[in-house]
Amino acid sequence: MSAQQFDEKKLERAIRKIKHCLALAQSENENENENEAATALRQPQALMREYQLTDMDVKLSDVGEVESDLYRAKRRPWDQQLSIAVAAAFNCTTLRRRKWSSVKGQVIECATFVGVSLTQNIALYAYESLHTKLT
């Protein structure tokens, strides 16, 4: 059974618990209590076996993607440069996404931000705020 076959909510809960236990084990390692640290490591290892997760799966769970609601048939050069500058400022990546809009009846372009934890959300907010001011 692969990780994709598990209920998504249960999987997310398990990953949060794994992260919490690993953080607890790390803090207990700093306090040099080896028994408590070893105990704190057993639970995440068991959960990782149960859900067939690797260390990389746990690390990648922090990566997220958000898409701007601002779009055009073709993004202007300053708009693209703005998304690149904002992404660099917030340590994430920006992508130009093209997709079909059934409402507009044409292909539209919008900015997408990919980052770790909440950086992509902060970058999106900054981008949309600055874009509105520049427009």
Side-chain angles (χ1 to χ4, degrees):
M1 182 181 292
S2 69
Q4 289 82 13
Q5 293 173 322
F6 290 105
D7 177 28
E8 192 171 326
K9 288 183 180 183
K10 286 183 181 179
L11 190 58
E12 287 176 20
R13 208 170 321 143
I15 289 174
R16 277 196 311 271
K17 195 167 192 174
I18 289 167
K19 288 179 186 178
H20 176 75
C21 290
L22 289 173
L24 185 63
Q26 181 66 31
S27 67
E28 288 173 351
N29 271 340
E30 292 170 2
N31 294 333
E32 297 180 20
N33 187 340
E34 291 180 25
N35 289 335
E36 288 180 16
T39 302
L41 281 174
R42 281 190 211 111
Q43 188 169 18
Q45 289 172 344
L47 284 169
M48 289 172 75
R49 276 192 303 275
E50 178 183 344
Y51 287 92
Q52 299 177 352
L53 297 169
T54 64
D55 291 341
M56 186 60 71
D57 294 325
V58 175
K59 289 176 186 173
L60 287 176
S61 69
D62 287 336
V63 175
E65 171 184 312
V66 290
E67 184 175 277
S68 175
D69 289 332
L70 305 174
Y71 58 85
R72 297 184 64 82
K74 177 124 176 82
R75 289 176 62 208
R76 298 166 281 208
W78 66 262
D79 179 8
Q80 293 176 14
Q81 292 302 315
L82 175 63
S83 64
I84 291 167
V86 168
F90 292 100
N91 199 25
C92 59
T93 301
T94 185
L95 305 170
R96 183 177 69 183
R97 180 167 287 170
R98 300 181 79 208
K99 62 183 181 180
W100 177 258
S101 170
S102 55
V103 173
K104 295 282 186 181
Q106 64 183 16
V107 174
I108 58 172
E109 289 185 8
C110 61
T112 300
F113 294 91
V114 180
V116 176
S117 198
L118 296 176
T119 59
Q120 73 275 9
N121 294 33
I122 297 167
L124 175 65
Y125 175 77
Y127 166 76
E128 289 183 344
S129 298
L130 292 170
H131 188 282
T132 302
K133 295 278 187 198
L134 289 170
T135 302

